[in-house]
Amino acid sequence: MEKLKIGIVGAAGYAGGELIRLLLHHPKAEIDFVLSNSQNGKKVKEVHTDLIGETDLVFTQSLKESAQVIFLALPHGRSQQFLQENKIADEVLVIDLSTDFRDEKEDFVYGLTEVFPDKIKSSKRIANPGCFATAIQLALAPAIAQSWIKQSIHVTGITGSTGAGVIPSDTTHFSWRNQNISSYKLFEHQHLHEVKQTFTQLDSDFKEDILFVPYRGNFSRGILITAYFPFKGNLKEAKKEFIEYYKSSSFVHISDDLIDLKQVVNTNKCLLHLEVKSGQLIITSIVDNLLKGAAGQAVQNMNLHLGWEENLGLQLKANAY
């Protein structure tokens, strides 16, 4: 069977490395090129040392016209510039992991797989959601679709250090991050724009505030968010609606038990746990920020667009121990 040829642009970062890892073992994909200006000429395994023994690919600075799918894993603000400077044929599927096209400009559609499958199937330009945005939206989409929310939504979330990207900063330095925790961008996190966009598309009357308090965690991978809002129903009713909403999903699962990050790290899963207390529906959502929050969802979107099983190349076991 002839495999689909894949190009990865910006392949030296965390998300790019995870795309390489996933696609090396995808049964219907073959990596055609990996582009990185900063690592040009180096072997992939010299940069992504977890891939020693897996590949002899070498970073290049050149696009290949033979690629049928191109993933853009560039820093935020660079994808739009890259597409302006490099002509990519209309028939090539482009999946961008940056913030550049999440507002659905320039013919891109928003690639939240479980919520917008029809858009993803029909478009050659897909903007992959942000990591916090994925966790928040999957936690709340069924409630928004049912118009349950009539007041401000309170959300707290914590993310691992890989969410800040591969370029070091003061708040990703080990001596600062270790045994430490801090909040940042209170009520104004950049992912809220895409979250509100989705919620308005699900419910045109949605105008409530999303009061989001994000935290930096002292761990490498994963996101845990908790959202709550006033709810007049009971837990059985809430669970029934969530289970129905995600009945066709390969990766979103409702857990009756409390959930923890190790259940999803190294997987493309999103686990949800629901409780009703003090008149509030409380939803906890967990994802791996580099997989379901980035590279894994990008591959899932490719699979969906091409008519393949969504879990192809994504049947991964959690690092539970």
Side-chain angles (χ1 to χ4, degrees):
M1 180 185 69
E2 187 174 345
K3 294 186 176 183
L4 204 71
K5 292 187 179 297
I6 309 291
I8 304 170
V9 178
Y14 290 139
E18 288 296 83
L19 280 169
I20 296 170
R21 180 171 72 93
L22 294 173
L23 292 166
L24 281 173
H25 300 285
H26 193 291
K28 294 188 178 183
E30 176 185 352
I31 299 178
D32 198 28
F33 69 87
V34 287
L35 190 153
S36 170
N37 290 330
S38 65
Q39 304 298 334
N40 181 43
K42 286 187 179 180
K43 291 184 177 180
V44 164
K45 62 187 177 184
E46 294 180 75
V47 176
H48 300 298
T49 55
D50 58 315
L51 296 178
I52 291 174
E54 302 283 335
T55 180
D56 290 318
L57 282 166
V58 175
F59 289 109
T60 180
Q61 288 181 310
S62 303
L63 286 171
K64 286 187 179 180
E65 293 185 359
S66 50
Q68 297 158 286
V69 179
I70 293 178
F71 292 93
L72 302 179
L74 292 162
H76 302 310
R78 293 276 302 281
S79 292
Q80 188 171 17
Q81 179 185 350
F82 181 87
L83 291 179
Q84 289 171 349
E85 295 173 353
N86 297 271
K87 176 62 177 174
I88 296 176
D90 292 342
E91 64 269 19
V92 174
L93 175 62
V94 176
I95 301 177
D96 178 39
L97 278 70
S98 80
T99 62
D100 292 18
F101 300 103
R102 291 176 189 163
D103 58 359
E104 301 192 305
K105 64 188 173 192
E106 297 184 27
D107 297 324
F108 275 79
V109 301
Y110 188 65
L112 186 61
T113 321
E114 288 76 15
V115 178
F116 300 117
D118 293 337
K119 284 185 180 183
I120 294 163
K121 289 175 185 177
S122 62
S123 178
K124 289 289 186 182
R125 299 291 184 267
I126 299 168
N128 221 55
C131 49
F132 259 136
T134 296
I136 293 170
Q137 290 172 106
L138 293 178
L140 292 166
I144 298 290
Q146 288 296 310
S147 299
W148 286 348
I149 299 174
K150 304 298 182 184
Q151 298 181 36
S152 298
I153 309 168
H154 293 262
V155 184
T156 58
I158 187 166
T159 184
S161 59
T162 52
V166 72
I167 298 173
S169 68
D170 291 343
T171 57
T172 58
H173 196 288
F174 177 81
S175 60
W176 188 92
R177 199 95 177 198
N178 185 47
Q179 297 181 332
N180 199 10
I181 188 171
S182 66
S183 60
Y184 69 109
K185 296 182 180 178
L186 282 74
F187 292 7
E188 55 184 20
H189 194 279
Q190 64 272 16
H191 286 182
L192 290 177
H193 296 294
E194 60 192 273
V195 172
K196 291 178 180 178
Q197 173 182 274
T198 293
F199 289 176
T200 302
Q201 291 179 13
L202 287 173
D203 178 3
S204 59
D205 293 326
F206 179 81
K207 297 179 176 63
E208 309 306 328
D209 290 327
I210 303 170
L211 305 176
F212 177 39
V213 178
Y215 293 94
R216 302 179 182 97
N218 61 345
F219 52 92
S220 297
R221 292 173 75 132
I223 282 176
L224 182 149
I225 72 101
T226 301
Y228 61 92
F229 57 88
F231 182 62
K232 294 181 180 180
N234 58 45
L235 182 58
K236 184 177 180 181
E237 292 168 345
K239 278 188 178 179
K240 181 181 178 181
E241 184 56 42
F242 272 67
I243 290 168
E244 175 65 23
Y245 193 89
Y246 291 120
K247 66 181 180 181
S248 300
S249 172
S250 300
F251 295 109
V252 181
H253 305 285
I254 317 302
S255 173
D256 292 332
D257 301 318
L258 293 171
I259 54 179
D260 62 84
L261 273 182
K262 283 192 173 183
Q263 292 174 274
V264 297
V265 170
N266 194 48
T267 80
N268 198 52
K269 291 179 183 177
C270 172
L271 297 188
L272 304 175
H273 175 71
L274 281 63
E275 297 185 53
V276 174
K277 292 184 178 179
S278 301
Q280 307 280 317
L281 178 57
I282 309 162
I283 307 151
T284 302
S285 170
I286 53 173
V287 300
D288 184 319
N289 58 292
L290 294 180
L291 289 174
K292 186 58 175 165
Q297 185 161 214
V299 172
Q300 184 184 356
N301 281 330
M302 177 187 74
N303 290 341
L304 176 62
H305 176 84
L306 295 169
W308 298 340
E309 293 180 7
E310 284 185 38
N311 62 359
L312 206 61
L314 294 169
Q315 295 165 316
L316 306 167
K317 183 190 179 300
N319 296 328
Y321 308 111

